[in-house]
Amino acid sequence: MTDKPFNPFKMAQQQFDSVAEKLGLDESTRELLRNPLREYHFLIPVKMDDGSVKVFQGFRVQHNDARGPCKGGTRFHPHETADTVKALATWMTWKCAVVDIPLGGGKGGVVCDPHHLSEREQEGICRGWIRQIARNIGPVQDVPAPDVMTSPQHMLWMMDEYEAIHNGRYPGVITGKPVGSGGSLGRKEATGYGLIYTVREALREMGVDIKKTTASFQGFGNVAQFAGKLYTEYGGTIIAVSCWDQDDQTSYTFRRTSGVHVEELLTITNRFGGIDKEKAKNLGYEVLSGDAWIEQEVDILLPCALENQINANTAPNISSKVIMIGEGANGPSTPEADEIIKQKGIFMIPDFLANAGGVTCSYFEQVQCNMNYFWTKDEVLSKLDTKMTEAFLQVSAMAREKKVYMRDAAYLISIQRVAQACKLRGWI
Ligand code: NAD
């Protein structure tokens, strides 16, 4: 049991340190890679609809750019902290490296709650965030993207502000833009689909028919919705989905043992991925506590909401039926939980591999923007499938070869690639 306050950056460093030890990395490489290269903290004054001015806190962290420009989302969240952003930027470095795309790791954030902000106020935050960081990002420096509670519209406002400041057209400055305004087809599907491509491959290696499997999701936002769609298209059955209830300020799990119909559930889901309780009851869902998603007797658990959800307190509640965890969210499992998951013999598809579909498609978006030629959705998704499948197979081969946990195998591959890039550049 652990009651220490959760610090995602400490966790990212802890994960790194253990792999650095296994790889026998020298001291200077360790020091360089366990910390961000650059970290920006700034204030964003925004004129609110009532005429007052509110000052928001913003961040951008560039963890490492030895393999290419930094890449990573910008989150709007009331509990955003500098350490969360640092952890997420670090994981982006490993994520880009594990799928072998020529990008580094970055992440941004603003402490705010879009639930309580008008469209105009959100536009003010987006433009203000860019004004503070415009000199330090760009197509060849650092390329932001959407993340929790930021959307293609937010990205377009950000691009527009950047272009106004730099007096030119720079569609490659930001990804996750709306289709038709420099966005790529398939981007909204990419993270969820990418997750399920890896789940499909893992089940194939285990000799398990996906059609005979059941799953429980935490979250019903962008990642979970598309993961749920593809998983059910492949024939899997979703038993439960949990999400945050803004009115009650708590989370609930929606369970229907006959199976969740994703399209139907979407009709009663708001734009923040929150499900309407009363309407769900009418559709035959049981409404359980927020933690119930992890206790379900299913084959696959798919945490697709927040970090620190599978921890020393919750991991013991995982059913003995579970054979696999696919981490759609960033950092959903703590190192303490990893130990319990290993003891239970559950196959883990770690976050920075499982959810790399989003950044891979963002990379495709950059490539298309640079060529000024856009691919069809099928072309994008088939390239994504190839990249995710290749990455999964490399990591699982490494895990078998070195007899290590999948998270360690993914780290071994990515840290080695980044350390090598730093070495070749003569940095270390
Ligand atoms: P989102 O904002 O669209 O959805 C988040 C979902 O989580 C919502 O359904 C919300 O109700 C739910 N949620 C929030 N708090 C919860 C709680 N305490 N209990 C249960 N449910 C809760 O976000 P998203 O884009 O789907 O991202 C989800 C996770 O995936 C994040 O960790 C994000 O960093 C990660 N991720 C997203 C992408 C992407 O392309 N969107 C890419 C890589 C990783």
Side-chain angles (χ1 to χ4, degrees):
M1 302 278 276
T2 174
D3 292 310
K4 277 185 282 175
F6 173 69
N7 182 323
F9 185 54
K10 290 251 167 340
M11 171 169 138
Q13 288 191 316
Q14 206 177 327
Q15 291 167 337
F16 170 79
D17 290 342
S18 112
V19 180
E21 196 60 37
K22 287 195 181 88
L23 283 171
L25 287 186
D26 59 79
E27 267 317 302
S28 47
T29 309
R30 287 185 199 206
E31 204 178 325
L32 184 68
L33 297 184
R34 76 194 298 281
N35 291 297
L37 279 175
R38 291 175 289 274
E39 185 179 335
Y40 304 95
H41 294 212
F42 42 87
L43 297 177
I44 308 167
V46 175
K47 187 158 278 174
M48 307 301 280
D49 291 348
D50 66 4
S52 67
V53 171
K54 200 163 169 195
V55 180
F56 295 90
Q57 203 183 355
F59 308 101
R60 186 74 189 170
V61 173
Q62 297 164 351
H63 173 260
N64 190 284
D65 54 9
R67 286 174 47 89
C70 293
K71 186 87 197 78
T74 286
R75 236 178 217 207
F76 285 180
H77 200 278
H79 304 135
E80 192 67 304
T81 65
D83 275 353
T84 309
V85 184
K86 277 158 68 171
L88 293 165
T90 309
W91 287 320
M92 282 307 294
T93 303
W94 313 138
K95 192 181 297 192
C96 293
V98 85
V99 281
D100 204 10
I101 53 179
L103 299 170
K107 204 80 183 186
V110 178
V111 184
C112 70
D113 189 350
H115 293 98
H116 304 301
L117 295 165
S118 70
E119 288 274 297
R120 201 202 58 79
E121 289 166 343
Q122 291 179 48
E123 179 176 348
I125 294 178
C126 290
R127 292 186 185 279
W129 189 82
I130 286 290
R131 280 199 295 277
Q132 297 303 336
I133 198 72
R135 283 166 230 83
N136 309 102
I137 62 164
V140 294
Q141 288 163 284
D142 178 11
V143 182
D147 198 270
V148 174
M149 289 201 270
T150 48
S151 67
Q153 175 62 74
H154 292 120
M155 297 306 110
L156 207 62
W157 286 326
M158 288 184 179
M159 181 189 79
D160 187 63
E161 190 69 20
Y162 182 90
E163 291 185 339
I165 292 167
H166 289 280
N167 188 27
R169 289 284 173 253
Y170 300 96
V173 67
I174 214 151
T175 61
K177 303 182 293 296
V179 171
S181 298
S184 173
L185 290 167
R187 177 61 185 88
K188 62 181 195 307
E189 289 86 354
T191 308
Y193 275 33
L195 169 63
I196 299 303
Y197 295 145
T198 63
V199 167
R200 179 197 66 203
E201 292 307 309
L203 289 170
R204 186 177 291 161
E205 283 194 340
M206 291 169 109
V208 175
D209 181 358
I210 196 166
K211 293 192 179 67
K212 297 201 176 108
T213 62
T214 52
S216 173
F217 277 77
Q218 189 190 39
F220 198 57
N222 171 265
V223 178
Q225 289 171 12
F226 285 101
K229 183 170 182 289
L230 189 62
Y231 174 68
T232 49
E233 272 172 28
Y234 282 162
T237 306
I238 303 170
I239 299 295
V241 165
S242 81
C243 67
W244 182 253
D245 188 299
Q246 186 56 27
D247 296 332
D248 297 355
Q249 286 293 298
T250 187
S251 54
Y252 294 109
T253 300
F254 297 83
R255 179 170 70 182
R256 198 165 69 178
T257 45
S258 60
V260 170
H261 190 284
V262 174
E263 294 299 330
E264 178 192 64
L265 199 56
L266 281 172
T267 64
I268 59 164
T269 302
N270 66 24
R271 68 195 166 97
F272 300 107
I275 298 167
D276 187 305
K277 264 200 321 284
E278 294 313 313
K279 289 182 181 159
K281 283 183 193 159
N282 292 337
L283 290 174
Y285 285 89
E286 298 167 76
V287 181
L288 311 172
S289 79
D291 295 337
W293 75 278
I294 203 175
E295 298 160 9
Q296 298 307 303
E297 293 203 356
V298 290
D299 302 297
I300 307 167
L301 290 178
L302 296 161
C304 298
L306 298 172
E307 56 281 343
N308 188 27
Q309 299 302 300
I310 307 182
N311 51 39
N313 297 324
T314 60
N317 303 334
I318 296 175
S319 153
S320 57
K321 191 175 187 305
V322 173
I323 56 168
M324 185 182 296
I325 297 176
E327 295 184 321
N330 286 311
S333 314
T334 62
E336 292 83 8
D338 273 337
E339 292 311 313
I340 300 169
I341 292 163
K342 280 182 212 169
Q343 279 163 23
K344 286 178 177 269
I346 298 170
F347 186 82
M348 166 63 75
I349 313 178
D351 50 3
F352 64 101
L353 167 65
N355 68 30
V359 72
T360 304
C361 193
S362 290
Y363 163 60
F364 293 159
E365 180 176 331
Q366 274 183 285
V367 172
Q368 294 170 82
C369 282
N370 292 344
M371 289 192 302
N372 209 6
Y373 177 77
F374 288 81
W375 308 331
T376 63
K377 188 165 160 183
D378 282 350
E379 206 171 344
V380 173
L381 293 176
S382 107
K383 284 184 165 67
L384 180 68
D385 194 346
T386 306
K387 208 83 184 110
M388 294 301 295
T389 300
E390 259 173 27
F392 173 84
L393 295 178
Q394 282 176 7
V395 174
S396 80
M398 173 69 93
R400 277 193 303 279
E401 186 197 322
K402 301 269 182 209
K403 297 193 175 34
V404 292
Y405 188 51
M406 279 288 282
R407 193 185 309 283
D408 292 342
Y411 269 121
L412 284 173
I413 290 179
S414 51
I415 292 174
Q416 231 161 8
R417 284 181 180 157
V418 178
Q420 177 73 352
C422 294
K423 203 174 160 73
L424 288 172
R425 281 177 182 272
W427 290 359
I428 43 174

